[in-house]
Amino acid sequence: NGLPEPVVHTETLGYEHLGALEVLRQLLPTAIVGDIPTSFETVGHIAHLNLKDEQLPYKRLIGRVILEKNDRITSVVNKTKAIENQFRVLPLEVIAGKDEMETMVVQHGIRYKLNYAEVYWNSRLEHEHNRLVREVFGAVKGSGRKGIGKKCSVILDMTCGVGPFTVPAAKAGCKVYANDLNPKCAEYTRMNCRLNKISEDNLPLVYCMDAREFVRRSQRKDVVGGDGSMGGPVLFDHAVINLPASGLEFVDAFRGAFDRTVWQGRRLPYVHCYTFVGKQDMETQMQTSDAGGEDPSGGAGPPPPPPRGPSCPWSP
């Protein structure tokens, strides 16, 4: 038919040609192939795995393959047990690469320095951090958009971590009072405010105390001082509880916290509390109920509900 004869060519594919999943399928026992970890959380240069018990005998192998197949990863860690400490810090072991837990994370142009072995960090809320600042807290410089308050708000960040809500809110011009029980979180929040060049006249005030005490002190009539006083009462617009595992336990801090004479005629703040829910719970319609008691705002009531998100208004 005039066509040249096909030429037989043999190509041998080696380790360097295969992806991590393909390599692990070749190396791990058939019995656990179906449970090969195909995804992991990336925190800066750190890959975080949650290996199952049957995978633990091969953790070094799995860690090495993930390390070698991901150019940006220099440390691979595995969660060793359930979180039991009060700071919600992950119990980790390094299974491959360098034992360097201080890293840098960039989200929507904001840089966060943190030590993954010492502070709480949840990458899953990245888009929520940005949404809350842009659509709810108030105007974002240069965006041409305003939140429901039509101005930059006053924020109480009750469990601030390393500042994923505090820093972008302050960067946008909001006045932020931040707090975390973990001294390392408070330290990194201050560091990240400087790192992102927040102006000196709008640097967040960062505290280190129990979240309930933080709310109580925000409503005291005092002046800012080294004893943790906040120059209150602070007339804030929003409070954030970014502690999904136990955040709901702190919402009782607002009951009875407001001085009716101070808040008379003023809209009450919103509380944005994050928690873990199952798929079935997500499909259940959320209902907001009044916490009870007379509204001290003189009938002004809360502002219209913000768009989307797990937030609700509170009465004292």
Side-chain angles (χ1 to χ4, degrees), residues 47-59:
H48 169 211
L49 306 179
N50 290 315
L51 296 179
K52 299 179 180 179
D53 290 342
E54 59 269 25
Q55 296 168 341
L56 292 179
Y58 310 97
K59 62 184 179 182

Side-chain angles (χ1 to χ4, degrees), residues 138-153:
V140 178
K141 294 179 180 178
S143 71
R145 301 171 63 185
K146 292 187 176 182
I148 60 173
K150 305 303 181 185
K151 64 180 180 62
C152 284
S153 307

